[in-house]
Every structure is written in structure tokens, then in C-alpha cells.
Amino acid sequence: MMRLKRSLALGAVAMSIAALAGVLTASSASAVGPGVFVIPAGATAAFTGATFGACNSLTWGFQLDPPVGAQQDQFTKPAGCFSTTAPDVTIGASAAPRTLRVYLTDNTCSITYYSDGTSNPPPPTDHVIVTPTGANAWELRFADAGGFCERKFVPLTTFTGFNFKVDLTITFPVVFPSGGAFAVGDQSATGVGANVYFWGAQWSKNNSLSAGAAPPSFKGFEDGNAAPKCGDTWTTDPGDSSNPPAAVPDFMAVIVSSNVTKSGRQISGDVKHIVIVKTNPGYAPDPGHPGTGTEVFQVC
């Protein structure tokens, strides 16, 4: 394929959690397979740190499906043995989920290599290492074992040099409910696809916590921390005296707690994780109308 020029230093994208109404970094579970990713409805994808380190003329881009799955070239490095960087790229939010894969075209050898390990024309002669670098963040590196326009598979699992590398982060905009946040137990929020019970009279029975059962008077909403972050704590009052919101959004940030205790009238807990939940119909601020949903991302 291409001859590596030299090894380049690599920096992972820093993960951050924004405040209320900010952008929250989502879970790495949105990758549906090695080198294939899902951008959920309402989410964005950002490519940063794109760097070339090979002699051939190379073009990087991505395929997004829908709308058409067509290759979308983003930057071309001319032929020549030098290293260079490419501009950052952001894919805007969509009303429907989309799948994404990244590609690198060797214009000198007329071969396109995809992040899922395939190539056009086949068979795959290059390979890609996809490395999680944070919550819903990955580093993708395209490389070979050296040589020029190789046509053999190289089953490497690690390398320090690369022909092209780029960092991908998928983010999801959400808002906590006004005045606080709902919570679920850490042994109930088990990952993407988990059904969660974030509000209701049976909260303590429907949520399992690693530190032990929560007090029955906690119904799922805390009003002592309006913009919680991982590592924070929260406080609240029992039942609907915690002032739960009148309605919940379709996608909502929810606290994952490992420990909920009661001292006198005050209930308190920890923020082990924050997840995004797709809420089900039926919620009302009365504990007799449970709030349930499906975990779709882990923020932190």
C-alpha cells in the first residue's frame, strides 16, 4: 500500500461534560461493529486530529447512511514523503439515526480502505485499529507493514506508525429536567438497552444499588443539584415533595447512583455515572405514574 514516513505523536480527544443544556459526550456502545458507528437522532459527530504520515497521495472521508451512503471526501494529501494535518470536520445532527464508517483512499495505488476492515477492490490489504479513547470517543489508525501498494493482508494488532489517523467523538445534546435530575440504581442501569425505572412509588423495589437498598421514601428525583456531574453528590426530600417536573423530555440525562441513604428527612446519594435515557410515555409528577425508559448512552 504505502510507505510509512515516520511515527507521529498521537493525542486522544479530551472528554468533557457540559453544564445544563450543554453537549454531553455519549457512550462508546454506539459502535455497532469494529469501525462502524451509529450517530443517533439528534447527535453530532466530530473528527479531530486528522494526520497523514505516508508518501502516497491520500484522501480521507466518510460514508454516512442515510442519506445515500456515498463517499464524502474531506481532504487530500498530495504525493510526497511528508507529514501533514487536515481540518477538523463536524457532522450535524439528524432527525433519524445514521451509520458511519471512515475511509482512506490511496490515490497512487487506486485502493480505498474502510474502517470496518474492508477495501475496494478487495481483498483487504491494509488494516485499521479502532481504539476507544473515552466515552463515545475513538482513535482510528490506518496502516500497513511497510512497502508500496501492498496487496496482502497484514494481521497486525498494534503499531506506532500510521498512514492516516483521526479521532472521532459522537455527542448528544440533552437537558436535565428543571430543578434537578432523576436517578436510577447502578445495578439497574447496566448499559445501552437497559430498561430503567427513574420515578415512581416503587423506585426502591425497581432499582438495585451496589451499596444496598435505597430508602422506600425516595421516589427517584433529586432537587439539590441542578446540573450534576460524575463524582458529585445530591440531596432531596422524600416523595413528590422533591418537586419533580411536570413533564420529561424524549431524551433525558439521568443520574446513576450506587448509594442512596436517608438521615432524618433528607435523602442523599452519589453520582457514579450519568446516562441518557429515552423516556417512555406515562410519566407524571405523582409517584403513582411511574417514569420509565431505555438507556441509550453513558455520558460519564
Side-chain angles (χ1 to χ4, degrees), residues 11-16 46-49 133-134 137-139 166-169:
V13 178
M15 179 177 63
S16 64
F47 292 99
T48 58
T133 58
W138 300 266
E139 169 196 288
V166 68
D167 295 322
L168 166 65
T169 303

Side-chain angles (χ1 to χ4, degrees), residues 59-210:
T59 299
W60 93 271
F62 56 83
Q63 283 187 314
L64 201 58
D65 192 12
V68 293
Q71 295 190 177
Q72 301 185 43
D73 293 350
Q74 298 302 307
F75 185 85
T76 297
K77 170 200 174 293
C81 291
F82 62 92
S83 301
T84 190
T85 59
D88 293 345
V89 174
T90 299
I91 301 173
S94 171
R98 294 174 289 180
T99 58
L100 171 73
R101 66 174 180 167
V102 184
Y103 65 84
L104 180 69
T105 297
D106 184 335
N107 302 305
T108 304
C109 302
S110 299
I111 306 170
T112 298
Y113 304 95
Y114 298 96
S115 56
D116 61 1
T118 61
S119 68
N120 184 23
T125 57
D126 198 2
H127 88 282
V128 184
I129 291 179
V130 179
T131 305
T133 58
N136 213 42
W138 300 266
E139 169 196 288
L140 294 87
R141 289 182 290 163
F142 293 73
D144 59 24
F148 194 75
C149 294
E150 285 190 333
R151 297 299 296 167
K152 63 180 181 180
F153 179 70
V154 182
L156 300 179
T157 58
T158 185
F159 47 81
T160 57
F162 53 81
N163 301 308
F164 173 74
K165 73 93 180 172
V166 68
D167 295 322
L168 166 65
T169 303
I170 298 175
T171 60
F172 201 110
V174 297
V175 177
F176 287 104
S178 176
F182 290 96
V184 294
D186 65 330
Q187 293 185 342
S188 297
T190 54
V192 171
N195 295 319
V196 296
Y197 183 107
F198 58 81
W199 168 256
Q202 302 300 314
W203 194 97
S204 62
K205 293 183 178 180
N206 285 283
N207 282 276
S208 177
L209 291 76
S210 57

Side-chain angles (χ1 to χ4, degrees), residues 228-294:
K229 300 182 295 295
C230 284
D232 281 357
T233 57
W234 53 263
T235 60
T236 195
D237 292 324
D240 54 7
S241 60
S242 59
N243 300 310
V248 294
D250 291 339
F251 291 91
M252 179 174 65
V254 171
I255 291 169
V256 177
S257 291
S258 63
N259 185 28
V260 177
T261 58
K262 186 172 184 289
S263 178
R265 181 173 174 79
Q266 187 176 75
I267 299 171
S268 59
D270 64 340
V271 183
K272 182 177 181 180
H273 299 298
I274 293 174
V275 298
I276 297 173
V277 170
K278 185 180 188 304
T279 59
N280 296 327
Y283 165 84
D286 177 348
H289 294 81
T292 62
T294 304

